[in-house]
Amino acid sequence: MSLELNTIRLAIRLSEGEHILLDNFSLTVASGEIVSIMGPSGCGKSTLLAYLCGALAPETASGSSSEINASGTISIDGCDVTNMAMEKRKIGLLFQDDLLFPHMNVEENLAFALPYRLSKNERHHRISEALAAAGLSGYKKSDPRRLSGGQRARISLMRTLLAEPRALLLDEPFSKLDSRLRTQIRDFVFTTIRERNIPALMVTHDRQDCSERIIELHRSEAGETTYD
Amino acid sequence: MIKNTKGYPLTAMLTLLFTVTLHADVPLYTEHTEHTEHTDNWQETLNAAKGQTVYMNAWGGSANINNYLHWAATELRRRYDVKLRHVKVDDIAPVISRVIAEKNAGRNTGGSADIIWLNGENFRTLNSNGLLYGPFASRLPNWRYIDPKEKPTTVVDFGEPVNGMEVPWGMAQLVFIYDTALVSKPPKTMQELLSFSKKNPGLFTYPAPPDFVGTTFLKQALIELIANPERLQKPVGDDFNRVTKPLWDYLDALHPTLWRRGRIFPNSSVAMLSLVDDGELAFALSFNPGAARAGINDGLLPNTVRTYVHKGGTIGNSHFLAIPYNSSAKAAAEVTINFLISPEAQLRKADPKIWGDPTVLSASRLQPEDQKALKQQNAAASTFDNKTPIQTLTEPHPDWVKALEEAWLKRYRR
Amino acid sequence: MINSTSTSTSSYAARSYSSRWAYLASRGVYVIPWLFPLLTAIGLAGIILPAFGWLPALGYNSFSLAPWQQLLATPGLWTMILTTLFTGVGATLLSLLLTMVFLISSWNTRLWKLTGRTLPPLLAIPHSALAIGVVFLLSPSGIVSRILAVPMDWLHPPDLLTVNDPWGLGLIFALVLKEVPFLCLMLIAAVSQTPIERLLTTGRSLGYSHLQCWLKLVWPLLYPKIRLSVMIVLAFSLSVVDVSLIIGPNMPPLLPVQILQWQQDPDPALALAAAAGALLLLLLVGLCMACWLQLEKVLTSGLRGWLTGGYRGRSRSILITSGRLLFSGLLVLAWISLIVVVIWSFSWRWRFPDIVPSDISLRAWIRFFPGMLEPLQTTITVALTCSVVGVLLSVFCLEYCHRLSRWQQRSIVFFFYLPLLLPQMSFLLGIQTPLVALHLDGYWWTVAACHLLYVFPYCYLSLVDPWQKYDQRFSHAGLILSGSRVRTFLKVKLPMLISPLFTALALGVAVSTALYLPTVMAGAGRYETLTTEAVALASGGNRRLLALYAVMQMLVPMIFFGLAIAVPRLSSLRLSSLRLSSLRLSSLRRNHSPPKRSTHES
């Protein structure tokens, strides 16, 4: 498995012309590899993630996102997903907020991500496995709002992985955690991604969080325009 | 215009008897002394009335009536410093219940209503419970223009002698309005109506009782359909089902042929006018012989509508104004009522451009110029096909109203 | 340190003045928790006692079951009850469904923004005016039928039951047209507190379709936030009188209308039947609410399997496009019906099947406007008084209620909303009985007080949010500078909240203008508002006049909403110096943390 970006171009539409955030950007992320993208706010890293996951795809370009011109191909394992709807791309997302659904308990949050038409035993088995991997075996029936930040972050990763993504995008996943937890969770996330052999792209502005391969983006010339 | 040529013996006798007693009650002054007597007392009334506010409870569903009363209020304020407030009600029944409630609650002064527009059952309810102020009719200076001999219904209300406890305000008679663009020869009896409606379904209906006109339609049908209509002058008895059977048989046959197949009925007779205007209905009912002309003038009806009554005549009555016993503005109420039966106000009311409600005054008692104006008005107002005098049928005993309404609701409200 | 500064800089007089006021107010606030329960108790007693035969004001001094026997003997009672339930529950369900469709299909589109802007004026229009518009639209001689007349070759209006139909479908339509905007607006407020974008992205990245994300992730979070509004809609739809009089069934009428007719009947025994009917209605509404809430629970547990079963749905659903069409269609219909009302008020002759009036003139306005001045005056004076008092009371409660214990605060809020959650007909009949007994009905202030019962909760509801969003640090800063709580409140807090305050005032006016039953029940027929007049005229045949009243009914709240937008802008010029100082404060604060939104968006 690998994630390939080819000649990506992102620009903010202005009343006259456009403000280019990213031009002719190409990158290949291998399976199990975690690539970090760093840069100050406004350099276009969040826009890049939005484009990759499909929030900026041409057919959903409406509302606020229509202010962006985006082009370039995205392929996973050689399969072009550029024009696919977000839900068809099988790209997992991890945000700084864990976004566990408050109307479901931990087990249900995980079950939500499982593929359709699995047998009852199989579902049960996979959920238990995921909880065990996260070190939270006893928390099946817990209310996610009662869990600590670290616990929620681990459940969130497990939920993303249960959907069997072909690639992972991480948007400043550790920025809301305190420094002690941060190291612990980062190690957990990185180890898990490598174990599962999934290509992952992470956006961050903290060098501490970075993995082995780092790409630094810089604000372009007309850097006064802030887009985040 | 409306003559009681075919009265019933009992009513006629009653009327005659009552007319005599009424005149016996009031000392037979000469015209001159009567006038001065009134002036003295009346001046006191006028003085007392100054600055008072009169709450007149009257049906408010007609713009013409509301506007007419608005005019009356302006004049009363200008001439007599009386503030007339028209309390517009959908139905007068709640007002009657309010007076009763006030009596029961011991609110014997400062009642909420000062003048009530009523007749029939509502008058009887208030009068028999002693809830009306009076007699005051003959105290009013303008009473002299009313001739009970010419218009007997001005002193007998649904068979109940009025005894001066209410003052007639207008005359009413059930009339049928039809659109000549849709109907060439209107049915002139209840039986003809049924066969017409069978042939042309959906063109006729009547307002749902307990609407006043709707109930009158039931009474009209009952009078026409039973062999012995005199029975209706007596109170309802055990024979109600037997007496009214022809009516229900008739309605059972009529309803499926009506507008909306008799599943719903208009809320009021005025609502029928707009249905005629739209061409949904070919007929409207009204209790006002001038309604068609007024409707044409108001742009509410096409000018192809005409008015007719059934061959044997239709039910007619008067509508009255009464003062509740606990009114807080009796003097102003008297002044208001006196103004409303003045030739000026009555002529204006009879004007089809204003309202078109026939006057209670007798032409023979009016000043020559008023007589002339009235005559012209009548000619202009008429939308009747033929010029033959219209017969007026006497109202059944008031008992029948409630009995018929309840029976109707039981049968036809599903 | 800050506190010590504030006490030392403030003058002694100002401090004692403000603290005395604060003291009195803080005492007064303890009355409020008891005021509304008391009213409710009176209202309940006012129907329960007469329902069991005890009504001394009408001469009934002993208890009996006669009112119930009379109630049960009413012809068509079961039809009445069933139709009432059908229309009430049907209108609520349909409104909720359409609101959901609107949300799912229009969120973050142009329609969403357009709706946010077009709904408030639609919401300000009284129910009865909209019902009149629907009659003009849908009746067999209405505008829809006129448009169809040419292709269908109709010379006369079709003999169809479209309004006043026995099933109440016309009524349901009119109610839906009015309730959907209400629920949508409540939803728009709820949406702003929910991270919808993130939920959708998360759901979709897990492979769920747009529609499935809405149904499984967003809706379960949004619905609890509008549950109270849904209950208000349910209670309202089950007990509506004015709309029902205009467009509802009349053979037999709905239960609330029948209760009103009994209450107004001269036969005093029927007043008891009215009380029994009102109690029945109260029970029906209670039952419906209980069933609704129970059904929610059953659905939540029953749908767990569906929720977490992993069904992703198809990528694009036709429901989204059709939902958008359906909703825009509904909006367009509502607006057309209002436009038709305006046209009717200017038409002298407009016969079927003409699509435009054959005689357009100002005659109706010139002729009937003078007669409208009195009801107009009553409408405006009552509405303005109520909303001013309502806003003052709301501000008072918002400022002082935090001194009460938590359960007291909760019970206050519950009782505030009670008039909205109880069937109007039952509650007002219960209030009216003691009013009549004490000879308090038929006064202007009684009418205004009854209006206040309904105006106040809405004023309060609209002010809660801006008050919570207000950053207390502005007041703290003001206190340091002026040393007076009262002055800080008047010069810092109020000017900053001027916009929501005016909106609350306009909302109060709109609510009061729309009220029918409170005027009828408390006014003893002596006070007429535009709404009571319009409802009375609806049974007559003069459409121009009816339209005229409906137009005025719409104009009054719209003018006040216009003022609510314009006045704060104008006064902001005058207060610009104040604004400037508060801006400086906020820029100072910006160094520590991002500023919270301090003023309400209008």
Side-chain angles (χ1 to χ4, degrees), chain B residues 55 60-64 66-67 70 85-88 90 93-98 100-101 104-107 111-114 122 179 182 202 208 258-261 263-268 270-271 274-280 297-302 353-354 402 408-410 412-414, chain C residues 56-59 73-76 79-80 140-141 146 156-161 163-167 245 250-253 258 261 263-268 348-352 367-368 370-371 374-375 436 439 441 443 516 524-528 533 536-537 539-545 549:
Chain B
Y55 289 95
S62 156
N64 286 342
N66 298 350
N67 268 354
H70 188 72
R85 297 271 304 269
H86 177 193
V87 179
K88 303 183 191 87
D90 307 346
V95 182
I96 309 294
S97 69
R98 194 144 26 86
I100 296 171
N104 288 332
R107 189 167 168 180
S112 60
D114 299 308
N122 290 326
D179 190 348
L182 292 171
L258 293 181
W259 177 75
R260 309 273 187 267
R261 285 169 210 84
R263 296 181 69 171
I264 62 168
F265 292 83
N267 284 325
S268 70
V270 275
S274 59
L275 293 171
V276 168
D277 192 33
D278 287 330
E280 281 199 51
N297 290 338
D298 281 348
L300 293 176
L301 284 174
K353 284 198 277 299
I354 309 287
K402 195 154 196 192
W408 189 90
L409 282 181
K410 266 209 182 83
Y412 299 116
R413 189 193 248 191
R414 283 166 298 233
Chain C
L58 291 183
T74 312
T79 322
M80 247 186 251
S141 57
R146 284 166 200 248
H156 304 295
D159 195 0
L160 292 172
L161 267 168
V163 294
N164 302 115
D165 57 299
W167 308 279
L245 279 170
N250 59 8
M251 280 287 289
Q258 178 69 73
Q261 285 168 359
Q263 192 264 323
Q264 296 184 332
D265 199 277
D267 184 356
W348 192 250
R349 294 289 294 147
W350 194 6
R351 290 195 79 188
F352 190 86
R367 197 157 158 192
F368 302 121
E374 209 176 294
V436 173
H439 303 181
D441 61 328
Y443 294 101
Y516 171 74
R526 279 194 175 184
Y527 290 95
E528 289 130 16
E533 289 281 271
L537 285 167
S539 68
N542 197 336
R543 293 194 188 127
R544 296 164 312 205
L545 182 64
Y549 273 92

Side-chain angles (χ1 to χ4, degrees), chain C residues 13 83 94 97-98 126 137 144 210 219 232 240 254 260 266 319 345 351 365 389 424 453 519 554 569 584:
Chain C
T83 329
L94 214 58
L97 204 70
L98 277 167
L137 188 74
V144 170
H210 192 68
W219 189 252
I232 290 173
V240 65
L254 295 186
L260 183 67
L319 193 123
S345 78
R351 290 195 79 188
W365 279 89
V389 175
Q424 272 197 13
L453 283 177
T519 320
M554 298 178 210
R569 280 192 194 160
R584 263 187 225 123

Side-chain angles (χ1 to χ4, degrees), chain B residues 39-175:
Chain B
T39 324
D40 288 348
N41 281 338
W42 191 245
Q43 195 53 50
E44 278 170 31
T45 309
L46 285 176
N47 292 341
K50 277 206 176 91
Q52 287 186 334
T53 301
V54 179
Y55 289 95
M56 176 168 175
N57 289 256
W59 181 65
S62 156
N64 286 342
I65 300 175
N66 298 350
N67 268 354
Y68 175 75
L69 285 175
H70 188 72
W71 166 80
T74 320
E75 292 303 309
L76 280 162
R77 185 154 203 172
R78 193 168 61 78
R79 298 183 199 184
Y80 306 107
D81 191 20
V82 165
K83 287 186 218 72
L84 175 67
R85 297 271 304 269
H86 177 193
V87 179
K88 303 183 191 87
V89 293
D90 307 346
D91 185 4
I92 206 70
V95 182
I96 309 294
S97 69
R98 194 144 26 86
V99 177
I100 296 171
E102 285 171 2
K103 162 89 173 176
N104 288 332
R107 189 167 168 180
N108 292 326
T109 52
S112 60
D114 299 308
I115 296 179
I116 302 179
W117 183 20
L118 44 39
N119 70 0
E121 175 69 15
N122 290 326
F123 169 67
R124 202 173 61 136
T125 307
L126 289 183
N127 197 27
S128 62
N129 286 306
L131 297 177
L132 288 178
Y133 160 77
F136 69 97
S138 54
R139 285 198 69 233
L140 307 181
N142 288 329
W143 178 254
R144 63 174 178 268
Y145 299 116
I146 292 172
D147 182 2
K149 267 181 242 137
E150 190 196 314
K151 295 181 175 171
T153 57
T154 55
V155 289
V156 182
D157 187 0
F158 282 54
E160 185 98 357
V162 167
N163 288 337
M165 302 298 288
E166 57 176 0
V167 168
W169 189 25
M171 305 290 286
Q173 180 157 23
L174 182 69
V175 293

Side-chain angles (χ1 to χ4, degrees), chain A residues 60 63 85-88 91 93 95-97 99 101-104 108 111-116 123 159-160 163, chain C residues 108 195 198-199 201-210 216-217 220-221 304 307-313 315-316:
Chain A
T60 51
M86 193 179 194
E87 57 266 31
K88 297 284 173 205
I91 297 180
L93 293 174
F95 303 102
Q96 55 181 352
D97 294 317
L99 274 172
F101 311 129
H103 58 296
M104 303 179 195
E108 286 164 337
F112 188 80
L114 284 174
Y116 191 41
R123 298 176 73 80
R159 187 178 67 183
T160 309
Chain C
N108 236 354
R198 303 279 207 85
L199 283 170
T201 315
T202 311
R204 290 181 70 193
S205 73
L206 292 172
Y208 285 83
S209 75
H210 192 68
K216 290 176 176 169
L217 299 182
L221 292 184
R304 282 276 142 187
L307 194 65
T308 55
Y311 175 67
R312 259 60 173 180
S315 165
R316 281 256 141 199

Side-chain angles (χ1 to χ4, degrees), chain A residues 119-228:
Chain A
S119 74
K120 205 175 172 188
N121 281 339
E122 180 67 22
R123 298 176 73 80
H124 198 75
H125 176 67
R126 289 205 194 177
I127 290 169
S128 301
E129 222 175 40
L131 280 172
L136 290 166
S137 287
Y139 290 85
K140 236 180 188 179
K141 301 288 175 196
S142 299
D143 182 340
R145 284 169 293 193
R146 298 263 166 108
L147 300 182
S148 71
Q151 290 170 325
R152 282 205 303 269
R154 278 179 278 164
I155 298 287
S156 186
L157 175 69
M158 283 305 149
R159 187 178 67 183
T160 309
L161 294 175
L162 279 179
E164 298 168 358
R166 298 183 294 182
L168 262 185
L169 301 177
L170 297 92
D171 191 356
E172 310 209 11
F174 317 119
S175 61
K176 278 207 173 167
L177 301 171
D178 62 53
S179 54
R180 189 180 52 82
L181 260 177
R182 203 167 173 141
T183 331
Q184 198 191 325
I185 297 297
R186 188 177 55 222
D187 292 346
F188 173 73
V189 170
F190 286 4
T191 319
T192 313
I193 290 172
R194 282 184 198 118
E195 269 173 24
R196 306 283 170 111
N197 221 12
I198 302 170
L201 192 63
M202 180 170 75
V203 153
T204 180
H205 56 234
D206 194 336
R207 190 163 293 274
Q208 244 196 314
D209 287 341
C210 288
S211 51
E212 56 273 21
R213 197 170 146 202
I214 301 170
I215 298 171
E216 269 194 74
L217 297 182
H218 297 282
R219 227 187 281 205
S220 56
E221 302 301 300
E224 281 311 302
T225 327
T226 56
Y227 179 85
D228 194 27

Side-chain angles (χ1 to χ4, degrees), chain C residues 529-542:
Chain C
T529 60
L530 293 172
T531 298
T532 60
E533 289 281 271
V535 173
L537 285 167
S539 68
N542 197 336

Side-chain angles (χ1 to χ4, degrees), chain C residues 196-527:
Chain C
I196 293 189
E197 187 110 46
R198 303 279 207 85
L199 283 170
L200 288 179
T201 315
T202 311
R204 290 181 70 193
S205 73
L206 292 172
Y208 285 83
S209 75
H210 192 68
L211 178 66
Q212 295 290 321
C213 289
W214 277 106
L215 294 179
K216 290 176 176 169
L217 299 182
V218 185
W219 189 252
L221 292 184
L222 279 181
Y223 178 74
K225 291 180 184 163
I226 60 161
R227 184 184 283 124
L228 182 67
S229 312
V230 173
M231 289 297 114
I232 290 173
V233 168
L234 184 63
F236 180 87
S237 309
L238 281 168
S239 64
V240 65
V241 170
D242 49 354
V243 181
S244 183
L245 279 170
I246 293 166
I247 199 174
N250 59 8
M251 280 287 289
L254 295 186
L255 186 59
V257 174
Q258 178 69 73
I259 296 169
L260 183 67
Q261 285 168 359
W262 280 331
Q263 192 264 323
Q264 296 184 332
D265 199 277
D267 184 356
L270 284 180
L272 300 182
L279 193 55
L280 177 66
L281 182 66
L282 183 67
L283 294 177
L284 285 178
V285 171
L287 196 71
C288 277
M289 283 186 179
C291 284
W292 187 284
L293 296 176
Q294 198 53 46
L295 196 71
E296 270 177 25
K297 275 195 190 142
V298 171
L299 278 179
T300 355
S301 61
L303 290 176
R304 282 276 142 187
W306 166 79
L307 194 65
T308 55
Y311 175 67
R312 259 60 173 180
R314 259 172 263 127
S315 165
R316 281 256 141 199
S317 173
I318 193 147
L319 193 123
I320 290 183
T321 9
S322 56
R324 211 171 298 172
L325 269 176
L326 186 70
F327 187 78
S328 353
L330 205 68
L331 265 189
V332 167
L333 273 186
W335 281 109
I336 288 180
S337 67
L338 296 179
I339 291 165
V340 173
V341 169
V342 176
I343 299 176
W344 259 111
S345 78
F346 288 106
S347 61
W348 192 250
R349 294 289 294 147
W350 194 6
R351 290 195 79 188
F352 190 86
D354 300 343
I355 288 175
V356 287
S358 53
D359 188 353
I360 294 181
S361 85
L362 279 172
R363 258 185 282 182
W365 279 89
I366 293 164
R367 197 157 158 192
F368 302 121
F369 194 76
M372 278 171 84
L373 289 173
E374 209 176 294
L376 183 65
Q377 191 195 336
T378 314
T379 305
I380 292 182
T381 49
V382 169
L384 260 183
T385 313
C386 286
S387 53
V388 167
V389 175
V391 166
L392 287 179
L393 265 179
S394 307
V395 170
F396 175 77
C397 291
L398 289 164
E399 284 294 306
Y400 283 104
C401 276
H402 58 86
R403 294 177 176 225
L404 297 171
S405 66
R406 186 158 273 279
W407 74 267
Q408 272 176 322
Q409 282 184 36
R410 280 216 192 122
S411 70
I412 285 183
V413 173
F414 173 72
F415 279 108
F416 282 175
Y417 295 134
L418 208 57
L420 305 183
L421 290 170
L422 289 174
Q424 272 197 13
M425 190 66 236
S426 308
F427 186 56
L428 286 170
L429 188 73
I431 296 281
Q432 194 214 20
T433 310
L435 282 183
V436 173
L438 298 170
H439 303 181
L440 291 176
D441 61 328
Y443 294 101
W444 183 89
W445 65 267
T446 325
V447 176
C450 270
H451 275 231
L452 187 61
L453 283 177
Y454 291 89
V455 169
F456 173 58
Y458 282 105
C459 291
Y460 184 80
L461 196 67
S462 81
L463 285 176
V464 168
D465 206 33
W467 237 258
Q468 277 173 355
K469 280 184 184 156
Y470 173 78
D471 193 330
Q472 286 300 331
R473 279 175 292 189
F474 286 116
S475 286
H476 294 157
L479 204 57
I480 295 167
L481 295 173
S482 72
S484 153
R485 276 181 199 283
V486 176
R487 260 164 66 195
T488 306
F489 178 72
L490 292 178
K491 300 229 159 161
V492 177
K493 193 164 184 180
L494 278 191
M496 289 183 72
L497 292 167
I498 192 95
S499 200
L501 280 171
F502 271 87
T503 310
L505 271 179
L507 183 69
V509 170
V511 169
S512 166
T513 306
L515 288 174
Y516 171 74
L517 267 187
T519 320
V520 171
M521 303 292 273
R526 279 194 175 184
Y527 290 95

